[in-house]
Amino acid sequence: LLIDPNGLTITELAVDYSDYFARPDSNPISGPWIGFGMLAGQFQIVSGVAEGNGANASYIGGSLNTTVGTWDDDQYSQITLGTFTGATSTGPCVRAKSGQGCYGVAYLGGTAYIQRYNAYGAGSTIASGLFTFSPGDVIKITAIGTTINCYRNGSLILTCTDVYYTSGAPGMIYFTPGS
């Protein structure tokens, strides 16, 4: 699963940040991204596309915190899907924090999930449903109060409530099941 150059948008209530990954190849990913330590792998940029480089990876726009202030607790993150396989999953995440975990969207084998990931990358499913995702789809996760929503192309597809994580930063997550 890849994130295409139309890529990731993360937001604070009054501030949006977009990254189209239109810069030279780098491994690990360059720019305003920092890993939040949840998983061992990394993202890389290849031909203007952000992608996982094999093992699990999790990244947030954490260095943005120093230039735009603290992220609001109510936030969203979205990605535009590029080419993907059924063996990996990349998705947006919210309320990500080093040593904590995050809420993230995963898609595997025709099922979409809202997951609560812990600091070690283990996920607990808090909502799921059967959906078909395709390259070019815009996948968005929002965290507003205790409500976590997932949208595909602007339409709500999953919703749940959860009180576990109340703060953190928006970003993206990549994983390969069983790794």
Side-chain angles (χ1 to χ4, degrees), residues 2-76:
L2 307 176
I3 302 169
D4 80 10
N6 296 320
L8 177 80
T9 300
I10 56 180
T11 190
E12 181 180 12
L13 281 182
V15 178
D16 281 342
Y17 173 80
S18 294
D19 192 339
Y20 296 96
F21 308 110
R23 53 187 173 275
D25 291 357
S26 64
N27 186 2
I29 197 167
S30 61
W33 297 96
I34 61 167
F36 61 93
M38 191 177 78
L39 302 169
Q42 302 178 52
F43 275 91
Q44 61 187 351
I45 297 176
V46 178
S47 301
V49 175
E51 63 182 21
N53 68 353
N56 295 332
S58 53
Y59 271 74
I60 60 170
S63 63
L64 296 173
N65 295 348
T66 60
T67 59
V68 297
T70 302
W71 292 102
D72 192 87
D73 295 340
D74 293 342
Q75 56 190 243
Y76 78 85

Side-chain angles (χ1 to χ4, degrees), residues 12-175:
E12 181 180 12
L13 281 182
V15 178
D16 281 342
Y17 173 80
S18 294
D19 192 339
Y20 296 96
F21 308 110
R23 53 187 173 275
D25 291 357
S26 64
N27 186 2
I29 197 167
S30 61
W33 297 96
I34 61 167
F36 61 93
M38 191 177 78
L39 302 169
Q42 302 178 52
F43 275 91
Q44 61 187 351
I45 297 176
V46 178
S47 301
V49 175
E51 63 182 21
N53 68 353
N56 295 332
S58 53
Y59 271 74
I60 60 170
S63 63
L64 296 173
N65 295 348
T66 60
T67 59
V68 297
T70 302
W71 292 102
D72 192 87
D73 295 340
D74 293 342
Q75 56 190 243
Y76 78 85
S77 177
Q78 70 181 27
I79 65 170
T80 301
L81 294 178
T83 306
F84 55 91
T85 69
T88 62
S89 183
T90 298
C93 65
V94 290
R95 296 186 178 161
K97 190 185 299 184
S98 182
Q100 168 183 283
C102 66
Y103 294 111
V105 175
Y107 174 73
L108 293 169
T111 303
Y113 304 88
I114 297 177
Q115 296 277 105
R116 181 192 327 116
Y117 294 99
N118 68 22
Y120 305 103
S124 299
T125 300
I126 53 178
S128 66
L130 298 176
F131 299 96
T132 301
F133 286 12
S134 301
D137 283 353
V138 175
I139 308 303
K140 177 179 182 178
I141 186 171
T142 64
I144 309 295
T146 61
T147 302
I148 313 299
N149 291 322
C150 175
Y151 299 84
R152 188 185 94 222
N153 299 326
S155 297
L156 179 67
I157 62 170
L158 296 171
T159 188
C160 60
T161 59
D162 196 82
V163 299
Y164 205 76
Y165 300 134
T166 58
S167 64
M172 59 185 170
I173 187 167
Y174 168 94
F175 69 92

